[in-house]
């Protein structure tokens, strides 16, 4: 009996069935659930690593040790893991090694829209791309066979609509597989120049063999329909094209994206009247087609930007549009906001009040950039808040040292904030770093991390002391404060900004959505005391609004954190 | 059978994902090919959220575009207006009349549109509106709005009620199963023509 599974869940099932032993990942939307589901299988060791580089190196080590190994990440995570990837391409594998990466066209939950396929080309490793959950499982299993047959890491690339769509998957048994022997082999695994030079020759020879394989790879298939239109496509773009054109076109659906076949594509092109390449993001397949002498219609018609859809393809190729009715009146937007009771809210209110420059980072707290708090100046990548603040303070030559802070979450600090903090201490800027410790990796849906004392299974684990790390790297001023205590938070930030030394402030309160956090009853407004001053609205809480001139609390949203009560000068808001 | 499309719209935190999984599980059990598409992460934090369910003999695309939904189930009134363009001509709209003010309304930069249900009905659109929040509270928790609406929707399909109950058991954590069963029954008991 087939089951509905997320693409990510099907990848995890594929890992299980392929006999994988070691899974090490860092959470990142839309890749997170691969590892969450993998952790449900006791037959595999699954873990959250501090960052993607560590995860990838852990998987490489496990592969060298003879296990089938996996690491998962989002597209920008592969930037962090790129260093080990490029050289693992040279060493090759012992047990099969697969790197799962999920791209986010349309940027549902990301800071950029990069196309991971470029990494496979640059690192000279095969890349496979499934188009639904069934393929997610099958391609995952096949990726291990490719990895071991061709002695190479393999990239499994998903996109949001494949990772986060559910479709039917048939479960099979886990293969029984012994851990292979480990034999010391320095020329294979020690990549110093003398050994790396012959390995580059090996990599080029491997690519030549993979090119031959691409011609017969079962993942590259032709579906014949009308030969007036020929579509070369892959991943979810294939599904959109199928939906839009049905049997009105023929399809070359590519599953192995690096290396791409030459003869197969040329043969297909020769049998259709008009050739199109339909691929989201960059023109990877199209460029290959041009390189082998074809002239398909691709990005001249389709965009480099955002997600595609059946509607887009119907409109571009057939000139057809579906009819629809607009509501007419202006519908107010509903942007994402910090949750009611979010411990980040108090901190960002104080930062706005103080008017400081805020060097931001990646996590729920990036929402501090949104109105009405609007208290964030920059967000680049994981860790950039801390190292970026150091650079900013160098540029302003002390002018901003009492007027700028970095904000970074607990998990992000462990991921890549510590090295930036070392730089602040070592190269001596008077910088103030705030770690927003909510005891969880929040934005990606509540994953434990090395600082919260629990492992991926929820079992107690060693916990990093953020205070001790700061002191150990040379930051002497370390303070912990409850961000729901507005007065104390303001006092501490002012004090640390004024101090003549670098400092670290930890705002510590667990995420309001954690099951372990007990909520209080919703707060109550006394309409007789309410002077309609709207001070309570300044914190941007979704549970607080104005109704007939008085403050109103939505009891279905309010968790009784009391922040709005601290804002009220007239004691109009009291505990429920 | 040609592929049919159901869209669920709501506010992050209202449980649209769970609703999609329950409906998807029922449709799979009924023998359809099913695709359910979700969005996780940033947009879930109190933002406008949509999920798609598509079913038929063989489903290709997991997403629904403007003018393509046979049915829209909206968990909040303003979201019904926002996602109306996605309804196919002749499609059915079911909405909860609960109003959750978005940040631009809270900060006073925009007003919450009035008479949304009436305005949509005036366009000749088949709309069912009900106060699912009150029914959820009657069942025991505001969080069961999603399952109340599933109860309402279940009446529109010619499937055995056991299949819905089985899907509920498969998708809902045991601790909250009883309250959700109650919510489902209250939703299922809502008469077809409400308001």
């Amino acid at each position: 009996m087939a089951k509905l599974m997320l693409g990510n869940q099907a990848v995890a099932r594929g890992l299980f069935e392929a006999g994988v032993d070691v899974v090490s990942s860092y959470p990142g939307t839309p890749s997170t659930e691969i590892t969450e589901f993998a952790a449900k299988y006791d037959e595999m060791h699954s873990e959250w690593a501090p960052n993607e580089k560590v995860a990838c190196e852990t998987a490489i080590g496990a592969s060298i040790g003879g296990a089938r190994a996996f690491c998962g990440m989002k597209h920008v995570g592969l930037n962090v893991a790129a260093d080990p990837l490029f050289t693992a391409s040279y060493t090759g594998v012992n047990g099969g090694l697969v790197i799962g990466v999920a791209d986010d066209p349309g940027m549902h939950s990301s800071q950029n829209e990069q196309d991971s396929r470029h990494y496979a080309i640059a690192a000279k490793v095969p890349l496979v791309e499934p188009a639904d959950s069934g393929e997610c499982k099958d391609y995952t299993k096949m990726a291990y066979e490719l990895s071991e047959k061709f002695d190479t890491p393999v990239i499994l690339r998903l996109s949001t609509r494949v990772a986060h769509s559910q479709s039917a998957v048939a479960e099979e048994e886990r293969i029984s597989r012994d851990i292979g022997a480990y034999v010391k082999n320095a020329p294979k695994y020690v990549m110093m120049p003398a050994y790396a030079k012959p390995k580059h020759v090996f990599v080029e020879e491997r690519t030549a063999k993979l090119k031959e394989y691409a011609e017969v790879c079962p993942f590259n298939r032709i579906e014949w329909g009308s030969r007036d239109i020929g579509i070369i496509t892959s991943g979810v773009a294939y599904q959109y094209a199928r939906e839009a054109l049905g049997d009105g076109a023929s399809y070359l659906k590519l599953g192995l994206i690096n290396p791409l076949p030459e003869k197969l594509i040329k043969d297909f092109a020769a049998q259709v009247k008009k050739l199109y390449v339909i691929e989201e993001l960059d023109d990877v397949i199209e460029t290959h087609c041009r390189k082998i002498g074809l002239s398909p219609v691709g990005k001249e018609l389709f965009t480099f930007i955002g997600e595609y859809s059946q509607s887009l393809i119907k409109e571009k190729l057939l000139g057809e549009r579906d009819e629809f009715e607009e509501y007419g009146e202006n519908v107010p937007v509903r942007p994402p906001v910090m949750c009611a009771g979010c411990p980040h809210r108090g901190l960002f209110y104080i930062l706005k009040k103080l008017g400081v420059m805020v060097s931001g980072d990646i996590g729920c707290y990036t929402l501090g950039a949104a109105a009405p708090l609007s208290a964030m100046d920059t967000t680049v990548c994981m860790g950039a808040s801390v190292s970026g603040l150091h650079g900013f303070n160098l540029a302003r030559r002390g002018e901003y040292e009492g007027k700028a802070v970095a904000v970074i979450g607990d998990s992000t600090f462990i991921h890549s904030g510590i090295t930036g903090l070392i730089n602040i201490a070592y190269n001596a800027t008077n910088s103030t770093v705030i770690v927003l410790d909510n005891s969880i990796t929040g934005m990606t849906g509540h994953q434990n991390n090395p600082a919260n004392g629990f492992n991926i299974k929820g079992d107690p684990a060693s916990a990093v002391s953020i205070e001790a790390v700061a002191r150990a790297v040379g930051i002497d001023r370390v303070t912990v404060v409850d961000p729901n205590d507005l007065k104390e938070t303001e006092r501490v930030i002012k004090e640390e900004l004024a101090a003549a030394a670098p400092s670290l402030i930890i705002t510590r309160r667990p995420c309001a959505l954690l099951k372990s956090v007990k909520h209080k009853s919703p707060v109550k407004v006394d309409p007789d005391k309410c002077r309609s001053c709207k001070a309570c609205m300044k914190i941007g809480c979704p549970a607080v609004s104005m109704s007939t001139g008085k403050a109103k609390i939505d009891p279905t949203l309010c968790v009784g954190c009391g922040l709005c009560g601290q804002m009220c000068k007239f004691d109009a808001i009291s505990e429920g | 059978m040609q592929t049919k499309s159901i869209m669920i719209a709501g506010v992050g935190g209202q449980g649209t994902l769970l609703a999609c999984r329950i409906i998807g599980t029922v449709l799979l059990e009924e023998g359809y090919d099913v695709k359910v598409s979700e969005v996780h992460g940033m947009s879930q934090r109190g933002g406008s959220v949509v999920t798609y369910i598509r079913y038929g003999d063989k489903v290709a695309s997991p997403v629904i575009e403007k003018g393509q939904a046979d049915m829209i189930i909206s968990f909040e009134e303003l979201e019904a207006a926002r996602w109306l363009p996605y309804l196919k001509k002749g499609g059915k709209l079911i909405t909860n009349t609960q109003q959750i003010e978005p940040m631009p309304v809270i900060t006073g930069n925009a007003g919450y549109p009035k008479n949304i249900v009436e305005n949509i009905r005036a366009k000749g659109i088949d709309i069912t509106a009900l106060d699912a929040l009150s029914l959820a509270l009657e069942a025991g928790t505001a969080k069961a709005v999603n399952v109340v609406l599933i109860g309402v929707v279940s009446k529109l399909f010619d499937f055995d009620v056991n299949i819905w109950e089985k899907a509920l058991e498969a998708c809902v954590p045991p601790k909250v199963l009883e309250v959700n069963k109650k919510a489902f029954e209250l939703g299922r008991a809502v008469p077809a023509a409400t308001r």
Side-chain angles (χ1 to χ4, degrees):
Chain A
M1 171 71 199
K3 280 187 187 164
L4 267 190
M5 284 191 197
L6 277 179
N8 284 342
Q9 186 180 0
V11 171
R13 182 71 202 181
L15 297 176
F16 169 77
E17 291 178 9
V20 168
D21 287 301
V22 176
V23 177
S24 183
S25 305
Y26 185 80
T29 313
S31 71
T32 311
E33 299 80 9
I34 299 174
T35 305
E36 289 189 316
F37 280 105
K40 293 182 194 288
Y41 297 104
D42 288 332
E43 292 85 345
M44 303 190 277
H45 167 87
S46 297
E47 64 178 31
W48 292 126
N51 65 33
E52 294 86 353
K53 182 174 185 287
V54 174
C56 186
E57 289 157 352
T58 300
I60 290 168
S63 160
I64 292 171
R68 282 190 164 182
F70 176 83
C71 61
M73 60 200 68
K74 68 183 294 173
H75 58 322
V76 285
L78 192 51
N79 300 334
V80 181
D83 195 5
L85 168 68
F86 276 66
T87 303
S89 170
Y90 278 38
T91 65
V93 304
N94 183 13
L97 173 62
V98 175
I99 293 142
V101 57
D103 287 5
D104 190 16
M107 291 183 273
H108 295 280
S109 196
S110 300
Q111 67 269 42
N112 76 22
E113 210 170 14
Q114 70 188 49
D115 187 330
S116 294
R117 295 177 297 173
H118 296 296
Y119 272 109
I121 297 167
K124 303 182 186 237
V125 299
L127 180 146
V128 295
E129 178 170 30
D132 62 25
S133 298
E135 287 188 358
C136 279
K137 197 194 82 165
D138 295 343
Y139 284 28
T140 300
K141 291 168 80 174
M142 182 66 130
Y144 282 95
E145 285 172 31
L146 286 183
S147 173
E148 287 165 6
K149 183 177 172 193
F150 291 95
D151 192 9
T152 178
V154 175
I155 296 178
L156 172 76
R157 183 213 188 206
L158 311 180
S159 63
T160 300
R161 294 297 181 186
V162 173
H164 284 167
S165 289
Q166 301 186 51
S167 53
V169 178
E171 294 183 340
E172 296 163 278
E173 294 295 309
R174 176 173 166 93
I175 62 158
S176 113
R177 179 186 178 279
D178 293 329
I179 296 283
Y182 170 68
V183 180
K184 183 171 176 173
N185 185 352
K188 179 167 167 57
Y189 295 123
V190 181
M191 285 303 97
M192 57 186 190
Y195 293 145
K197 283 176 187 173
K199 288 305 283 189
H200 189 187
V201 176
F202 157 76
V203 167
E204 298 305 328
E205 287 168 357
R206 181 180 72 199
T207 299
K209 284 182 195 157
L210 278 160
K211 278 183 179 162
E212 282 173 34
Y213 172 75
E215 304 291 350
V216 296
C217 172
F219 294 167
N220 298 333
R221 64 167 193 262
I222 294 174
E223 295 172 6
W224 290 113
S226 162
R227 299 194 184 206
D228 290 345
I229 298 175
I231 310 268
I232 304 177
T233 185
S234 74
V236 77
Y238 158 77
Q239 306 288 9
Y240 299 146
R242 258 258 159 236
E243 187 76 37
L245 307 169
D247 291 332
S250 294
Y251 306 87
L252 172 54
K253 195 252 185 209
L254 297 168
L256 179 64
I257 307 301
N258 189 57
L260 286 162
E262 186 173 331
K263 187 174 174 298
L264 182 68
I265 290 176
K266 280 184 173 166
D267 286 352
F268 177 75
Q271 295 179 70
V272 295
K273 269 196 199 152
K274 181 135 195 193
L275 187 67
Y276 295 88
V277 173
I278 303 183
E279 55 187 325
E280 284 184 329
L281 300 181
D282 293 343
D283 51 353
V284 170
I285 298 171
E286 183 182 345
T287 300
H288 172 77
C289 288
R290 296 197 188 284
K291 213 166 144 187
I292 61 173
L294 300 171
S295 303
V297 177
K299 293 298 175 186
E300 64 185 87
L301 196 61
F302 292 98
T303 173
F304 287 88
I305 300 163
E307 294 190 286
Y308 287 7
S309 68
Q310 57 266 34
S311 299
L312 177 81
I313 293 167
K314 257 203 292 195
E315 192 181 331
K316 296 284 185 188
L317 264 60
L318 308 175
E320 292 174 12
R321 298 179 82 160
D322 291 301
E323 282 182 59
F324 59 85
E325 186 109 37
E326 293 282 0
Y327 178 68
E329 194 185 337
N330 207 9
V331 179
V333 295
R334 190 187 298 275
V337 292
M338 287 178 192
C339 308
C342 176
H344 303 326
R345 177 170 286 109
L347 170 68
F348 279 98
Y349 169 71
I350 297 297
L351 293 178
K352 184 186 184 176
K353 187 177 170 191
L354 297 177
V356 292
M357 183 273 182
V358 180
S359 179
D361 222 297
I362 307 284
C364 287
Y365 47 92
T366 313
L367 293 169
L373 295 166
S374 311
M376 193 168 284
D377 289 55
T378 62
T379 297
V380 179
C381 66
M382 300 279 285
S385 60
V386 182
S387 16
L389 175 67
H390 174 70
F392 184 84
N393 282 337
L394 286 173
R396 307 305 300 183
R397 299 194 185 274
E399 171 199 347
Y400 264 85
E401 281 182 350
K403 289 183 266 178
V405 298
V407 292
I408 184 166
D410 48 336
S411 183
T412 310
F413 180 72
I414 301 290
H415 178 284
S416 48
I418 296 171
T419 40
L421 193 65
I422 292 171
N423 204 31
I424 286 172
Y426 176 54
N427 286 310
T429 49
N430 183 11
S431 298
T432 303
V433 174
I434 304 175
V435 177
L436 289 65
D437 182 5
N438 64 350
S439 308
I440 202 77
T441 311
M443 181 61 89
T444 44
H446 283 181
Q447 290 73 37
N448 291 320
N449 68 50
N452 85 344
F454 296 97
N455 66 18
I456 195 169
K457 300 251 189 196
D459 297 328
S462 168
V464 172
S465 161
I466 296 169
E467 295 93 311
V469 165
R471 289 195 186 99
V473 305
I475 305 290
D476 296 327
R477 301 186 65 94
V478 180
T479 324
V480 181
V481 65
D482 176 358
N484 269 21
D485 184 340
L486 292 177
K487 272 190 193 140
E488 182 64 5
T489 302
E490 183 172 350
R491 188 192 68 74
V492 165
I493 294 172
K494 276 182 173 166
E495 189 171 292
E496 295 310 315
L497 281 170
S503 55
L504 185 100
I505 301 166
I506 302 168
T507 58
R508 182 166 285 150
R509 177 173 273 266
C511 172
L513 297 183
L514 282 174
K515 287 201 178 82
S516 55
V517 172
K518 290 264 177 287
H519 291 165
K520 292 186 188 165
S521 300
V523 296
K524 290 199 171 92
V525 178
D526 182 342
D528 296 334
K529 287 186 182 170
C530 177
R531 308 269 188 96
S532 312
C533 70
K534 298 188 180 173
C536 55
M537 310 273 293
K538 288 185 183 162
I539 52 173
C541 177
V544 186
S545 61
M546 296 296 283
S547 171
T548 58
K550 301 285 180 183
K552 184 184 81 175
I553 307 295
D554 183 338
T556 65
L557 293 176
C558 178
V559 298
C561 77
L563 211 61
C564 53
Q566 292 180 53
M567 297 295 296
C568 183
K569 293 195 179 82
F570 308 105
D571 286 331
I573 303 175
S574 57
E575 285 192 13
Chain B
M1 182 192 118
Q2 227 191 339
T3 301
K4 294 258 191 195
S5 300
I6 303 173
M7 183 165 168
I8 299 187
V11 178
Q14 279 194 303
T16 53
L17 290 190
L18 180 69
C20 258
R21 281 174 197 172
I22 294 169
I23 297 174
T25 304
V26 166
L27 292 166
L28 190 73
E29 185 74 17
E30 285 289 327
Y32 294 106
D33 186 35
V34 180
K35 280 190 179 162
V36 175
S37 190
E38 314 170 348
V39 171
H40 303 203
M42 172 73 97
S43 59
Q44 269 204 284
R45 300 282 173 263
S48 176
V49 176
V50 283
T51 46
Y52 311 122
I53 304 163
R54 306 195 73 234
Y55 64 104
D57 294 335
K58 181 76 190 140
V59 181
S61 171
V63 305
I64 301 169
E65 288 279 295
K66 284 182 178 172
Q68 295 175 355
D70 296 278
M71 187 193 297
I72 296 178
I73 308 164
S74 176
F75 284 27
E76 197 272 351
E77 202 169 280
L78 180 60
E79 297 308 308
R82 183 187 319 284
W83 298 100
L84 180 67
Y86 282 70
L87 197 66
K88 189 186 275 185
K89 262 202 146 171
K92 182 163 184 59
L93 178 58
I94 295 160
T95 188
N96 180 11
T97 53
Q98 183 184 355
Q99 299 188 347
I100 301 172
E101 295 189 354
M103 204 42 73
V105 173
I106 289 179
T107 55
N109 291 322
Y112 195 103
K114 294 192 167 33
N115 307 321
I116 289 173
V117 174
E118 290 72 15
N119 290 343
I120 292 174
R121 189 168 285 137
K123 292 174 188 290
I125 288 163
D126 177 3
I127 180 168
T128 299
L130 70 147
D131 180 0
L133 178 60
S134 294
L135 293 175
L137 289 170
E138 190 183 329
T141 169
K143 285 182 184 159
V145 158
N146 53 358
V147 176
V148 169
L149 287 162
I150 284 179
V152 176
V153 169
S154 73
K155 288 284 270 189
L156 304 174
F157 289 89
D158 193 19
F159 304 153
D160 195 300
V161 69
N162 291 332
I163 297 209
W164 289 96
E165 284 164 358
K166 228 177 93 184
L168 207 59
E169 278 166 30
C171 300
V172 172
K175 264 200 293 188
V176 290
L177 183 61
E178 273 317 304
V179 67
N180 278 292
K181 275 184 171 171
K182 180 107 189 282
F184 177 80
E185 282 163 24
L186 288 169
R188 203 171 157 85
V190 170
T194 314
R195 234 171 93 166

